[in-house]
Amino acid sequence: MPEAVLITPTAPIANHTHGGRAKCLQRLVRLDLPVPTTVALSFMAVHSIANGELPDLEEILERFAPNALLCVRPSSEDPDWGGPGAILNIGMNDARYVELCDSLGRDAAAALYLRFVQSYAIHVARLDPDVFDDVEDNGPDGLSEVLQAYEAETDEPFPQNPAEQLAAVLRSMARAWEGTSARLLRQAKGAPADAGLGLVVQEMVPGYGDGECGSGVLQLVSPDTGMPQITGRYLSQSQGRDALGAGAEAVFLEQDSRGPSLQDLAPAAFAALQAHARLMRQRLREEMQVEFVIVDGEVHILDGVRVTRTAQAAVRIAVALAEDGIIPREEAVMRVDSRLLAELLHRQVAPDAERDEIGHGIAASPGAATGKLVFTAAEAQASAARGEPCVLVRRETSPEDVRGMHAAVAVLTERGGMTSHAAVIGRGLGLPCIVGASDMKFDSKRKQLTSPEGRVFGRGDVVTIDGSSGAVLAGQPDMMEAAEDGAFLTLLAWADEQRDIGIRANADTPEDAKTARKFNAQGIGLCRTEHMFFDPGRLTVMREMIFAETSEGRAAVLARLLPMQREDFQELFRIMEGLPVCIRLFDPPLHEFLPTTRSGQRELSEALGIPVSDVTRRVEEMEEYNPMLGLRGVRLGVTVPEIYDMQARAIFEATLDASKEGEPVVPEIMIPLVSAKREVELVKARIDAVALAVKAERGEDFAYRLGVMVETPRAALRAGEISPNTAFLSFGTNDLTQMTYGMSRDDAGRFMSAYVNQGVFPEDPFHVLDKDGVGELLQLGAERGRAAYPDLTLSICGEHGGNPESIAFCREAGFDYVSCSPFRVPVARLAAAQLAISSQLGPKTEKRAKL
Ligand code: PEP
Ligand code: MG
């Protein structure tokens, strides 16, 4: 016999057997709130109904008052998994209609019956909604039209027996849940394949009487900001209008200029509702929206649901609940989805804004910005100089574009993936960025962008880049401002109390370092020194060095670079005030620094005072078939060691200078793209020699730590022989992913969505760490490295460093810290704290209980 229980304070009802709504209603009953009679059907009961086995309907109906109208609502374990829509006014038939005509009046009674017939016809009898298209009247005439249409379509009169109506409603809702599309939809929201549905059958409170009658919803906070504010709406029967006005901002004001408020109409009911909402907040330990009916001035509570909320409101609500002593701080930390936190750091397209989407790509850097289209870095700079916000559109970006990126409010590229140049720089700058938007046509000659439907946008046209969703929008939708407010800072401070893995930031410039400090990063985990040369003045010096054909020529350029680098490092040390700063020696994929266009080559020839043909020749000579696997990283250090010598000297001299001014500095120097022990030995010998030379020249001592960046599979496999020469290993998972998959990080964007859509990869591995393959290399490297040198510091500094999944992986593997773009530091801090709290509490609490 399928199970149907009356909801009482002691009835055996649980989230996992009857669903969240049934459990919440039981909690409201336990609080003695005026909840109408409700019966809960368990998951098993509903499953049986879907298979044709109905519960004893007469027994269910006996629980309710004779002639009561009923409603049935879904009750899934997690409200986010959805469920079939509620069906109201079950029990309505010709006899009840006649009765209601007396008490309510013919028009109101007809409208009630008509609505029931229509929703029954569409959702239960599954008739096409078009059947009722011609019905214009809501009164008795409309009703008879609707009843006739029903009969004509089904060849049966509208069912009059309440038990028969209820049976059909239960069956249709149970079957809707078991349908394939509903299942796929909820599985996409994380529901297990066998997730059950409960149903609640509730007596409807007749919304009419002599005094004030009506229905509505009320909550104590704004769903947008989470600030205390009574919001909701109320439809008054007696006023025949919405007493609060429509819209989310409608409030229960004392003296509302739009007409009488609920407080005017029924002050006692308004006060009671607020008291009920406060009690629910206190005892259900959550900010709840109260669904209510008022009859003759008396309040009935139909339901309570968790207030829907923006990311900003989620943070405020969690912090306020903890500050009011309703939940512990740890729970507040657990209640905010760490991924949503990123939304608070940037302006976003407002959730209810109209969106005219004209293209889509990879959401490479979150936040949204609106500007006029420009197609070159120079145009971007000119636009910024005119004070006009602009969106820089490029096929892909290179160091030559960095100035333009600084000048733009957002960046859009046709090519690239999560770790390509534009994406990395965009995230570092906190600039909204979409890469790999290959569904749009980029015509750089004509300076035009064409949407998949053929809409053409040219220079000066206004678009919005939504870097959080990857959507390119025409025009300027409404925006929501960033909200790093007090609650945000409080929550992160609480998170830090719990966290047990370090969080550093990847920072190359003083601005990055300041952002890192602002977000409380515990140091710099990766300073990409080649990024220090993106400034146009410096880019030329850098190119001059790359172009130098003799060692004297190179020495002369390096002598010019030394003071610049020394100043760079000193500034970083100054900003970080003694916190660790890990500086990666030069790792330029050389092709990124060479001028590719004729005009770029002409400019360089002017700057260097050599013929264009020399520049072209040198560019050709240096051309590599596969530059990402070419003369990069330590390979450059081994073949042209003077560059690393210069950098080491600059680091050491800056260390001494900065230590004099403030906190003592112990710099960390990292060797990139290592694949063999001998590479490390060679570089280490030279760096140690430079250290000795600087100490001797200055007559001062300093300490430093030398480490290796593990970015090739071989370095991970041979970590056992590499680690004794080092103080730390930092996994560069961008290159490690590229090399493990044999898949270019710059080109993968072209086929990635096809791969993910067809299930070849569950996610873009440049975005979410591939735990199975790349992860195994991380694990092997960590184990072998630590076995050979137990004091080894382990970290990850690829773009994966800020992802909650990667943080979980690194924490499990015993890593000391993760390092990510500065703007991802808050997300990483919160995610790391949540992992620590979950592991303290044990597996049962890892899945947060939802109402
Ligand atoms: C990496 O490869 O993971 C890394 C951090 O270095 P880059 O992105 O500069 O190649
Ligand atoms: Mg790398």
Side-chain angles (χ1 to χ4, degrees):
M1 169 64 65
E3 196 193 349
V5 288
L6 183 69
I7 298 187
T8 61
T10 53
I13 291 173
N15 249 3
H16 65 279
T17 55
H18 291 77
R21 172 167 273 132
K23 187 67 211 169
C24 180
L25 282 166
Q26 183 178 46
R27 290 189 174 131
L28 302 187
V29 169
R30 283 184 185 154
L31 294 178
D32 242 349
L33 293 176
V35 177
T37 306
T38 312
V39 166
L41 294 168
S42 68
F43 296 169
M44 266 173 42
V46 175
H47 187 63
S48 302
I49 293 170
N51 290 330
E53 199 186 329
L54 283 165
D56 185 338
L57 294 166
E58 291 304 333
E59 194 183 297
I60 292 180
L61 289 173
E62 273 167 24
R63 310 277 195 184
F64 302 101
N67 277 339
L69 296 184
L70 304 177
C71 72
V72 181
R73 296 168 200 262
S75 177
S76 53
E77 191 170 345
D78 183 327
D80 291 347
W81 299 345
I87 306 248
L88 312 182
N89 296 319
I90 300 159
M92 197 64 204
N93 54 21
D94 296 350
R96 288 287 284 140
Y97 170 58
V98 173
E99 280 168 30
L100 288 177
C101 283
D102 286 344
S103 49
L104 271 185
R106 273 164 60 85
D107 283 346
L112 204 75
Y113 193 10
L114 182 144
R115 274 205 296 272
F116 175 52
V117 177
Q118 273 189 337
S119 86
Y120 187 96
I122 294 165
H123 300 294
V124 180
R126 309 255 169 228
L127 300 189
D128 194 330
D130 298 354
V131 171
F132 305 109
D133 269 1
D134 296 337
V135 181
E136 279 169 8
D137 183 70
N138 258 346
D141 290 344
L143 173 63
S144 58
E145 271 182 64
V146 162
L147 286 167
Q148 275 165 23
Y150 182 91
E151 193 164 341
E153 288 293 318
T154 61
D155 285 335
E156 284 170 6
F158 187 72
Q160 297 293 305
N161 180 346
E164 191 189 329
Q165 292 175 355
L166 181 61
V169 167
L170 294 178
R171 203 180 304 117
S172 83
M173 290 174 80
R175 291 194 175 152
W177 178 257
E178 310 250 327
T180 312
S181 48
R183 180 173 302 146
L184 290 177
L185 219 67
R186 63 179 175 268
Q187 278 177 293
K189 292 180 184 162
D194 60 350
L197 175 75
L199 291 172
V200 294
V201 185
Q202 190 175 63
E203 183 163 334
M204 295 192 60
V205 184
Y208 50 87
D210 296 333
E212 174 55 29
C213 293
S215 58
V217 291
L218 173 145
Q219 59 193 38
L220 300 172
V221 293
S222 149
D224 296 330
T225 65
M227 290 298 272
Q229 183 188 5
I230 295 172
T231 54
R233 53 200 310 275
Y234 175 67
L235 184 68
S236 170
Q237 293 291 343
S238 48
Q239 296 290 308
R241 63 181 285 277
D242 185 340
L244 295 165
E249 77 278 61
V251 288
F252 291 75
L253 292 176
E254 297 90 273
Q255 298 289 318
D256 191 353
S257 57
R258 291 166 298 190
S261 68
L262 177 61
Q263 192 172 41
D264 297 331
L265 297 169
F270 181 56
L273 267 171
Q274 288 181 72
H276 293 334
R278 273 194 285 274
L279 181 66
M280 283 161 72
R281 176 176 189 264
Q282 184 77 31
R283 302 291 289 279
L284 271 56
R285 308 164 71 248
E286 180 52 290
E287 208 59 74
M288 301 294 286
Q289 184 182 67
V290 190
E291 191 184 331
F292 63 91
V293 168
I294 294 179
V295 182
D296 279 340
E298 206 157 301
V299 172
H300 300 264
I301 307 280
L302 305 185
D303 203 0
V305 293
R306 198 173 159 268
V307 167
T308 54
R309 56 199 75 182
T310 61
Q312 182 188 4
V315 172
R316 282 246 175 87
I317 289 170
V319 168
L321 285 170
E323 283 179 337
D324 293 347
I326 295 171
I327 58 172
R329 288 176 175 187
E330 293 82 351
E331 195 170 336
V333 168
M334 293 301 285
R335 283 197 182 187
V336 177
D337 183 344
S338 59
R339 275 161 247 263
L340 292 184
L341 215 57
E343 286 182 16
L344 302 185
L345 304 174
H346 308 278
R347 291 180 90 207
Q348 301 286 343
V349 176
D352 50 358
E354 272 186 34
R355 302 167 70 95
D356 178 9
E357 187 164 330
I358 54 169
H360 206 92
I362 296 171
S365 177
T370 304
K372 292 185 175 174
L373 288 176
V374 294
F375 291 79
T376 65
E379 283 172 15
Q381 285 174 257
S383 178
R386 290 193 301 273
E388 284 175 11
C390 65
V391 170
L392 177 61
V393 179
R394 303 289 292 157
R395 273 240 135 88
E396 58 197 332
T397 61
S398 68
E400 284 164 287
D401 294 312
V402 172
R403 260 293 179 86
M405 292 178 77
H406 272 280
V409 294
V411 175
L412 170 65
T413 70
E414 180 183 20
R415 297 190 186 144
M418 275 309 278
T419 61
S420 59
H421 183 267
V424 172
I425 300 294
R427 279 195 294 276
L429 295 175
L431 200 65
C433 175
I434 297 175
V435 298
S438 47
D439 65 343
M440 303 185 85
K441 231 168 67 206
F442 287 59
D443 186 339
S444 39
K445 275 212 189 88
R446 286 211 196 97
K447 305 202 168 172
Q448 276 179 349
L449 199 60
T450 310
S451 77
E453 302 83 45
R455 289 166 70 187
V456 179
F457 297 82
R459 200 163 57 172
D461 286 343
V462 173
V463 301
T464 296
I465 297 298
D466 182 352
S468 303
S469 72
V472 184
L473 309 170
Q476 180 162 24
D478 290 342
M479 294 281 186
M480 202 170 71
E481 290 307 319
E484 310 153 32
D485 53 18
F488 172 88
L489 298 177
T490 305
L491 190 79
L492 285 177
W494 293 347
D496 286 345
E497 288 168 10
Q498 304 295 330
R499 190 158 53 77
D500 56 10
I501 184 168
I503 311 284
R504 294 199 197 176
N506 296 351
D508 317 320
T509 61
E511 288 73 41
D512 291 347
K514 283 178 198 154
T515 312
R517 287 304 307 269
K518 176 175 144 191
F519 293 137
N520 269 344
Q522 292 163 290
I524 293 178
L526 171 64
C527 167
R528 292 171 162 110
T529 49
E530 62 282 357
H531 288 192
M532 293 170 152
F533 294 91
F534 284 165
D535 197 76
R538 294 218 183 165
L539 192 58
T540 309
V541 188
M542 167 79 162
R543 284 172 167 167
E544 215 174 311
M545 187 193 70
I546 294 172
F547 272 65
E549 285 178 277
T550 61
S551 138
E552 301 80 64
R554 193 170 303 119
V557 189
L558 287 170
R560 279 163 60 205
L561 285 174
L562 175 69
M564 297 180 193
Q565 284 268 270
R566 189 171 50 223
E567 184 49 40
D568 291 335
F569 298 138
Q570 204 174 334
E571 182 67 6
L572 286 186
F573 294 149
R574 222 178 268 142
I575 295 166
M576 297 310 288
E577 294 183 303
L579 291 172
V581 176
C582 181
I583 297 165
R584 176 176 79 183
L585 298 172
F586 229 32
D587 176 19
L590 283 180
H591 69 293
E592 281 191 6
F593 285 88
L594 296 176
T596 45
T597 59
R598 287 297 291 176
S599 64
Q601 292 176 0
R602 209 173 313 113
E603 273 169 34
L604 186 60
S605 79
E606 275 162 25
L608 302 183
I610 55 174
V612 183
S613 57
D614 279 9
V615 172
T616 315
R617 178 183 53 81
R618 194 79 176 113
V619 167
E620 279 166 7
E621 269 173 19
M622 299 196 68
E623 207 164 87
E624 292 177 310
Y625 283 109
N626 197 341
M628 286 301 263
L629 301 179
L631 187 61
R632 277 184 65 191
V634 69
R635 297 164 198 170
L636 193 69
V638 169
T639 52
V640 193
E642 304 96 304
I643 302 175
Y644 281 7
D645 288 352
M646 177 278 288
Q647 288 197 297
R649 174 170 281 277
I651 293 170
F652 295 142
E653 290 180 358
T655 296
L656 287 172
D657 293 344
S659 299
K660 259 186 224 132
E661 292 169 11
E663 296 291 320
V665 175
V666 180
E668 297 177 352
I669 301 176
M670 182 151 76
I671 312 172
L673 221 76
V674 164
S675 58
K677 173 180 129 185
R678 185 74 186 134
E679 290 167 329
V680 182
E681 288 171 351
L682 288 172
V683 173
K684 180 171 172 7
R686 289 192 74 115
I687 290 179
D688 287 345
V690 174
L692 282 176
V694 173
K695 285 177 189 178
E697 285 161 24
R698 295 278 195 107
E700 288 167 275
D701 201 12
F702 56 84
Y704 62 96
R705 304 177 78 221
L706 187 72
V708 161
M709 205 167 165
V710 179
E711 299 176 279
T712 65
R714 195 176 190 283
L717 294 169
R718 306 307 294 164
E721 60 184 21
I722 290 173
S723 68
N725 282 312
T726 65
F728 60 89
L729 294 183
S730 188
F731 290 84
T733 45
N734 302 335
D735 273 310
L736 193 57
T737 301
Q738 166 166 264
M739 297 198 204
T740 304
Y741 278 87
M743 187 164 72
S744 156
R745 54 199 266 194
D746 296 308
D747 299 318
R750 287 203 198 169
F751 55 84
M752 190 56 75
S753 56
Y755 258 55
V756 173
N757 288 342
Q758 292 178 53
V760 183
F761 304 151
E763 312 245 17
D764 177 351
F766 288 110
H767 191 196
V768 176
L769 181 73
D770 159 44
K771 287 191 212 138
D772 301 336
V774 180
E776 190 173 351
L777 284 170
L778 254 62
Q779 208 124 29
L780 270 182
E783 278 164 21
R784 292 179 183 177
R786 279 241 165 102
Y789 176 46
D791 283 343
L792 190 68
T793 301
L794 291 172
S795 62
I796 176 176
C797 63
E799 291 304 312
H800 303 89
N803 279 351
E805 300 88 352
S806 328
I807 299 173
F809 182 89
C810 293
R811 202 180 150 265
E812 288 279 308
F815 280 38
D816 297 281
Y817 70 86
V818 300
S819 189
C820 55
S821 314
F823 281 96
R824 294 174 98 183
V825 165
V827 175
R829 284 165 66 198
L830 185 61
Q834 290 176 341
L835 291 163
I837 296 169
S838 301
S839 65
Q840 284 157 22
L841 297 176
K844 264 188 95 176
T845 41
E846 283 188 26
K847 227 179 114 227
R848 184 167 58 78
K850 284 195 180 170
L851 285 159

